[in-house]
Amino acid sequence: MNDMQAWTAFFLLLTFGIYITIAWRSRVKETKEFYVASRGVPTIANGAAVAADWMSAASFIGMAGMLAFLGSDGSVYLMGWTGGYVLLAMLLAPYLRKWGKFTVPEFVGDRYNDTVRWVAAVAAIVISFTYVVGQMTGGGVVFARFLGLSSQWAVVVAAAVIFFYAVLGGMKGITYTQVAQYVVLITAYLIPAVAVAQQMTNIPIPQISYGTILAELDALRLEFGLDRFTEAFAGRDGGQLDVFLVVASLMLGTAGLPHVIIRFYTTKTVRGARYSAFWALFFISLLYLTAPAVGAFTKLNLLRDAQGSTAEGLPDWIAPWADAGYVTLNSDGVIQTISNSPASGADLIISNDILVLASPEIGGLPAPIIGLMAAGGMAAALSTAAGLLLVISSATSHDIYFRMISKERASEKKQMLVGRVAMVGAVVVAIFGGLNPPAFVAQVVAFAFGLAASTFFPILILGIFWKKANATGAAAGMLTGLLFTGGYMLYTLEVFGLSANEHIFGISPEGIGAIGAVVNLVVTAVVSSLTRPPSPEVQEMVESIRYPSATVDTDAEKADA
């Protein structure tokens, strides 16, 4: 074991020990603690937990890598994922918290009917499975490179750790574990970024200093047959239209993702739900404002190392990543072309998913920082995967088993058992998906956002703000949106043995969710208008959720804010 592997093992064991200790001390016996942490999480802690839940392997590992290769077009992920939180804070979080239910399908079932609850529960499971595949892939990258495990065992080990503390602590354990994971991942992200910025520009503020190297980066990218880093709309076949649709899909998907929305059920008050969204945005911005700098610095270092080099003259960090299967060399001569696509046939092919994790090595930083970066990558993958597994568990045990199969007769002990069994099944399926991912980490996660945008967001908005939206319309809209978006993704992606087809009008599978959301909205509105409206009781309930009560805030609400 070399120094890098020893430091990586040290930081991973240390952080895993912290996570498992928190989960053990937060273990629960009641469903209210398991699903919503007894609605007693302080606002700032919930904001940090939301940020960790949100900043998955896609944000930590994948986003800067996408920016490195896509250039300014990669900012669609920054704009979409951040802008979605504004929609969530303004349009959904406080109203759903006021409703006071455990899960999104439970809100949908109460607002519409049990048929729509079924559809929502199935959609939540499908979306969460899609999302968790990206986390398993990210965990596999860390273990395969830094500990020398095979990709198969790397995914299995990551899944085992996630399963342990998710099953043990439920939402309460996951919440406080995610607070610790946020501290780990943001520290691991910022320290190398600051060190590389100081090394390359003598200005230790990466968010500002990377602007000084963009002219050189643009020139080197052109030399290697790539578009300029600063050129808009150059990295997407659909151009400006696709950029707009991807941003819209990510925004609507953010607001509709079940594992994000469920976090706002854990606050003490409705007011706390709004403030949690503010704190989450603040904590998220620390990483998101740094990601473009990490992408630019890493890509410039990479191109400098490759300029005029042969395969034998490439830096030492290339070989271990090539052994792990994330770098491919197709030329013995001078490296003239670099790409992230295996189909490009470029002289040097590098996966997006390694650039952030490799950035300390590329920048020549010492082994302890490399180990810390690996621990941060695992914290990002673990925190989000745990929240996703809880959504799958709650949709299965609470919405399907308790509400619809046992007709609310199951004991809390039986519900907890069903929830944990559902997690076991989810982990097994997630391992398979992590071993056979359909795309890069950030892209896989973007697919989940498209599915959320086309299923949940329209019916949640209409369910809150339009009294006449009914069950028939909601069911028709959700199914149409899910099938339309999922069908297009299957049509354009190489998955399940199917060959990929060309994008229609240049619209990528990451952007189709925005159109799916419009389809869902139109179908729900039209069908609801043509069928019987909801009962007066439901309409009155919708009125009550939209308007604040006449009473002033309680002392608890004021303290929580």
Side-chain angles (χ1 to χ4, degrees), residues 305-315 329 331-336 348:
D305 289 339
Q307 187 179 29
S309 296
T310 62
E312 294 181 354
L314 289 172
L329 283 165
S331 173
D332 294 329
V334 175
I335 303 297
Q336 296 181 329
L348 180 62

Side-chain angles (χ1 to χ4, degrees), residues 14 21 78 97 191 262 277 397 447 453 505 520:
L14 176 64
T21 299
L78 293 170
R97 174 61 184 83
I191 288 177
I262 196 175
S397 64
F447 302 153
F505 301 119
N520 181 340

